[in-house]
Amino acid sequence: MSQTGTLDVTTLGTLDEIVEYAQSVVDPGPLTWAASGAGRSTTVARNSQAIERLALVPRLMQDVTAVSTATSFLGVPMSLPVFFSPVGSTVLFHPGATAELARGAAAFGASVFCPTLTRSSWEEVAATAPGRHFFQLYVQGDDAWVDDIVERVVRAGFAAICVTADSAVHAKRDSVTRGGFDWRLEREGMPPNLVPHGRDETYKANFTWAKFARLCATSPLPIILKGVLTAADARLAVDHGAAAVYVSNHGGRNVDSELSTIEALAAIIDEVAVNVPVVVDGGFLRAGDVLKALALGATAVGMGRLQCWALAAGGADAVEHVLDILQRDLATTMALLGCTSPDRITRDQVRGSFAPEIRTSQAG
């Protein structure tokens, strides 16, 4: 496990400074694991490049004396249109893992997606703010197994269940293989939350639309489908009972040379946003990135790797500070674009640009 930062991160004023500090205290193995993508990490780069190649377009002389970054997703109020995506091995960056992340997020009125494979107790994560956080589910058992998990998640106080459908098998990540780091060795035996239930990963490989429909029909909580990259799959998700669609390519960690999420987003929005909210992750690092997704029609944007760096930099306090920086940057940029709330930015305020690449941040 990496050393957790001891610097007062509130003295750092930018996200890049926090990321740079976090990476200076993270051990080489977890550092490589967090930054890695499938194969040669082409998809990781493509996510960032596709976002960077979009430009924001301001509208002039709008009344922006009162700007609010607040929004909601599936009835959950959020202080800003940003959530933390499910990342299963946050224990590599802080011993408190997802519970520590949830404490920082909840203190700021933000939400996390609690992963199935976290070291933290699911119940501890949900208890940081009952009804605020979402539960990410890998299906690793039969219908009875799923029903048991759903019952436990409902009892814990999560707001919804997010089924990750893009990971039927384990992906190969060249940089991790070359470095010889095996993140699974950080867990002793079976992930602790699954000890009472058991675990069989073959069920991920045969999870079908019919099984998804059954889950949607029987769950007392709304069901989100994560891993969607096509309008056709988004429509199938809605037709089979999904309450929300989550556009994701697993942070570029599953398929090398895969389509970026921002490239897939508009067609999915056009297909299903009239029926259900659509959220997205994949390479989003800063306020401007978030606003590009909102302009295309997303309800909120997930951030994965940034949570690892925040936890390493200083646990819940650093998580809260990161969200504070994001919120202030969002409010400023929204005002400069002529928008007073996340739902007021429109598609004509984002356009393709042929300007050269300028991104220098290592956060993604």
Side-chain angles (χ1 to χ4, degrees):
M1 184 181 299
S2 296
Q3 172 188 347
T4 300
T6 56
L7 176 73
D8 178 4
V9 294
T10 61
T11 63
L12 303 177
T14 70
L15 295 181
D16 284 349
E17 288 179 296
I18 293 172
V19 171
E20 289 167 7
Y21 172 63
Q23 292 180 346
S24 75
V25 300
V26 172
D27 291 339
L31 180 63
T32 299
W33 178 87
S36 69
R40 299 171 298 164
S41 296
T42 303
T43 309
V44 175
R46 180 169 289 148
N47 278 341
S48 297
Q49 290 164 3
I51 294 169
E52 202 67 41
R53 287 170 183 157
L54 293 176
L56 293 167
V57 182
R59 297 295 305 276
L60 300 181
M61 289 183 283
Q62 307 296 306
D63 183 354
V64 291
T65 52
V67 174
S68 171
T69 62
T71 190
S72 66
F73 174 55
L74 293 179
V76 177
M78 302 166 74
S79 59
L80 72 170
V82 171
F83 59 86
F84 288 117
S85 306
V87 175
S89 292
T90 48
V91 72
L92 297 172
F93 307 95
H94 192 285
T98 308
E100 186 75 5
L101 178 73
R103 276 189 284 273
F108 203 82
S111 300
V112 307
F113 278 65
C114 175
T116 300
L117 302 180
T118 182
R119 262 289 174 187
S120 298
S121 158
W122 300 340
E123 288 77 9
E124 184 182 4
V125 173
T128 62
R132 167 163 295 286
H133 302 306
F134 306 93
F135 182 79
Q136 175 265 339
L137 175 65
Y138 281 128
V139 175
Q140 300 185 334
D142 59 14
D143 288 347
W145 184 95
V146 171
D147 292 344
D148 286 345
I149 298 294
V150 169
E151 181 181 351
R152 181 177 167 187
V153 167
V154 170
R155 192 167 58 245
F158 286 98
I161 295 172
C162 173
V163 178
T164 296
D166 63 2
S167 302
V169 297
H170 285 296
K172 181 184 178 184
R173 298 163 189 163
D174 289 3
S175 59
V176 175
T177 301
R178 285 197 304 269
F181 178 73
D182 188 347
W183 60 271
R184 288 168 291 189
L185 298 179
E186 297 292 327
R187 300 193 183 103
E188 298 175 2
M190 183 179 291
N193 284 295
L194 292 179
V195 169
H197 306 280
R199 179 186 183 195
D200 183 345
E201 294 203 350
T202 61
Y203 283 92
K204 291 196 298 182
N206 64 20
F207 187 70
T208 63
W209 286 110
K211 294 177 181 180
F212 178 75
R214 176 195 174 276
L215 173 58
C216 292
T218 58
S219 169
L221 295 178
I223 302 297
I224 306 160
L225 184 64
K226 179 176 182 286
V228 179
L229 284 178
T230 67
D233 278 344
R235 172 51 57 192
L236 283 169
V238 173
D239 290 347
H240 285 81
V245 167
Y246 190 152
V247 180
S248 178
N249 58 20
H250 220 87
R253 296 165 71 80
N254 275 355
V255 179
D256 204 11
S257 293
E258 194 170 20
L259 183 69
S260 75
T261 55
I262 198 78
E263 290 177 286
L265 183 59
I268 291 170
I269 294 287
D270 291 343
E271 181 68 29
V272 301
V274 69
N275 305 114
V276 300
V278 176
V279 297
V280 62
D281 68 13
F284 298 91
L285 303 175
R286 304 183 66 91
D289 299 346
V290 173
L291 290 170
K292 292 172 186 179
L294 298 187
L296 292 174
T299 296
V301 173
M303 294 187 172
R305 291 175 176 87
L306 187 58
Q307 68 186 265
C308 300
W309 311 135
L311 286 171
D317 290 343
V319 169
E320 192 172 352
H321 184 51
V322 161
L323 290 168
D324 180 62
I325 292 173
L326 275 169
Q327 185 183 49
R328 286 188 282 112
D329 288 350
L330 274 166
T332 299
T333 309
M334 286 166 59
L336 292 170
L337 291 174
C339 302
T340 55
S341 63
D343 61 345
R344 297 299 295 275
I345 186 167
T346 57
R347 193 171 288 188
D348 64 352
Q349 291 186 268
V350 64
R351 297 181 190 172
S353 171
F354 295 99
E357 286 295 316
I358 59 172
R359 180 174 298 227
T360 59
S361 170
Q362 299 300 308

